[in-house]
Amino acid sequence: MSWFKREDGEYEPGSTGSVPDAADAAGRNVRTEGLWIKCLGCRQVVWKAELEANLNVCPKCQHHFKIGAQQRISMLLEPGYELVDQGLRSTDPLKFTDVKSYKSRLRKAQEQTGLNDAILNAVGMLGPHPVVLSAMEYSFIGGSMGAVVGETIARAADRARTTRKPLIVVAASGVARTIEGVGTLTQMTKISTVLCQLDGAPVPDICVLTDPTTGGVTASFAMLGDLNIAEPGALIGFAGPRVIEQTIRQKLPEGFQRSEFLLERGFLDAVVHRRQLKAYLVRALEFLHV
Ligand SMILES: [Zn+2]
């Protein structure tokens, strides 16, 4: 388990740096591989089942682990929701290949996640409110935004406008998927345009920024909500901190580009713990919905 790296005082002397196998009542070793996970926040070892029961938030330090689009939808919507806009597939317009072909990357991501692309749209009830929910999937090529992601969010915004249901977008994205060519960059303007049209309808648009929300997604729809809220500790920005430091030749302050830092400076409306997120959204919709 090479992902365990020993740090000062973290393990007893003589420890191998891996999680020791547990011993059952008869003293036999029991395989525990895959049952434990190391928290990136407190660097403690956490029981995976306990973590999952806690909405993938570390019970020791409250670090918010990434969660998938399907889990996010199940977490927020009542049972009986419907997945929509499922038929879109990337066409690989540049026939792009680096160390691997884009086609094979796509195929692998599709197999691993069971999704067509890095996003899922759903319609359903968020508490007592009918909503359109669009959730991004970070584990699908880093949640990168290509033509399918852009079009799916645009369709969610159109659906919200025509059915007069509030739009909730949960963002989780590393980059724009530039290997799809210039069409990727036009997604930002397309989504901004449909959100602008939504502005004229009497329905709110709420963006939930999760770790990480960067690049073209931050530069377009993630910051265009009537309410822009974030999960604690989420990395939110356009360019990465190293690029900014090299450009401005200054050391960046502690916590730069994290949710709490952005909230203090007025870029966000609230930082909401995952456990309170659904209740917060229900309250916000009661307040905002006309
Ligand atoms: Zn932790």
Side-chain angles (χ1 to χ4, degrees):
M1 297 169 88
S2 57
W3 45 274
F4 275 99
K5 197 171 148 201
R6 194 186 311 167
E7 293 200 344
D8 289 350
E10 199 171 341
Y11 297 106
E12 292 296 322
S15 156
T16 59
S18 64
V19 182
D21 282 351
D24 66 7
R28 289 170 303 193
N29 280 339
V30 179
R31 269 184 86 79
T32 56
E33 197 175 345
L35 294 178
W36 303 87
I37 194 163
K38 188 172 183 182
C39 174
L40 298 171
C42 60
R43 307 189 72 76
Q44 300 292 303
V45 176
V46 185
W47 191 29
K48 230 174 167 179
E50 192 184 355
L51 184 69
E52 283 163 9
N54 200 35
L55 302 174
N56 280 75
V57 175
C58 173
K60 296 175 181 169
C61 73
Q62 307 303 310
H63 172 76
H64 284 48
F65 283 73
K66 293 179 181 68
I67 62 171
Q70 183 64 66
Q71 192 184 352
R72 180 70 68 174
I73 291 171
S74 313
M75 200 183 94
L76 292 177
L77 298 185
E78 309 303 324
Y81 60 81
E82 186 193 351
L83 296 177
V84 291
D85 307 321
Q86 294 289 290
L88 301 172
R89 300 276 178 126
S90 172
T91 55
D92 186 16
L94 298 184
K95 310 289 173 225
F96 189 89
T97 300
D98 46 26
V99 285
K100 267 194 223 172
S101 70
Y102 175 40
K103 261 204 170 67
S104 69
R105 275 182 212 280
L106 267 178
R107 200 167 38 242
K108 193 172 167 207
Q110 284 162 349
E111 282 165 13
Q112 283 175 345
T113 60
L115 305 181
N116 289 343
D117 215 294
I119 192 145
L120 268 182
N121 278 359
V123 288
M125 301 297 289
L126 200 161
H129 306 284
V131 295
V132 178
L133 175 63
S134 200
M136 296 189 75
E137 172 72 50
Y138 186 75
S139 62
F140 194 107
I141 317 186
S144 50
M145 178 170 67
V148 174
V149 169
E151 178 61 22
T152 306
I153 293 181
R155 288 187 185 190
D158 270 341
R159 190 183 293 275
R161 181 172 54 80
T162 53
T163 59
R164 299 203 161 199
K165 289 176 182 166
L167 173 67
I168 316 281
V169 179
V170 183
S173 177
V175 288
R177 206 178 298 166
T178 43
I179 53 178
E180 283 191 4
V182 72
T184 294
L185 300 178
T186 62
Q187 303 310 313
M188 294 197 284
T189 38
K190 180 168 75 181
I191 299 171
S192 303
T193 307
V194 290
L195 287 179
C196 196
Q197 289 167 342
L198 183 64
D199 227 20
V203 286
D205 161 26
I206 302 178
C207 290
V208 182
L209 286 76
T210 68
D211 184 50
T213 299
T214 56
V217 170
T218 313
S220 60
F221 61 88
M223 286 290 189
L224 290 177
D226 297 312
L227 261 185
N228 298 319
I229 62 176
E231 288 192 335
L235 174 71
I236 299 164
F238 182 63
R242 208 172 352 149
V243 176
I244 298 172
E245 278 186 340
Q246 283 167 1
T247 308
I248 64 171
R249 296 168 194 274
Q250 280 180 38
K251 187 105 188 89
L252 295 170
E254 180 80 19
F256 180 74
Q257 291 187 318
R258 295 285 164 184
S259 323
E260 295 75 9
F261 188 92
L262 296 177
L263 176 68
E264 266 180 35
R265 281 147 186 86
F267 285 94
L268 292 172
D269 297 300
V271 174
V272 185
H273 193 288
R274 192 174 288 164
R275 208 178 302 120
Q276 277 107 42
L277 184 59
K278 184 171 175 178
Y280 182 94
L281 289 171
V282 168
R283 239 187 6 261
L285 289 176
E286 276 162 17
F287 181 74
L288 291 171
H289 199 27
V290 181

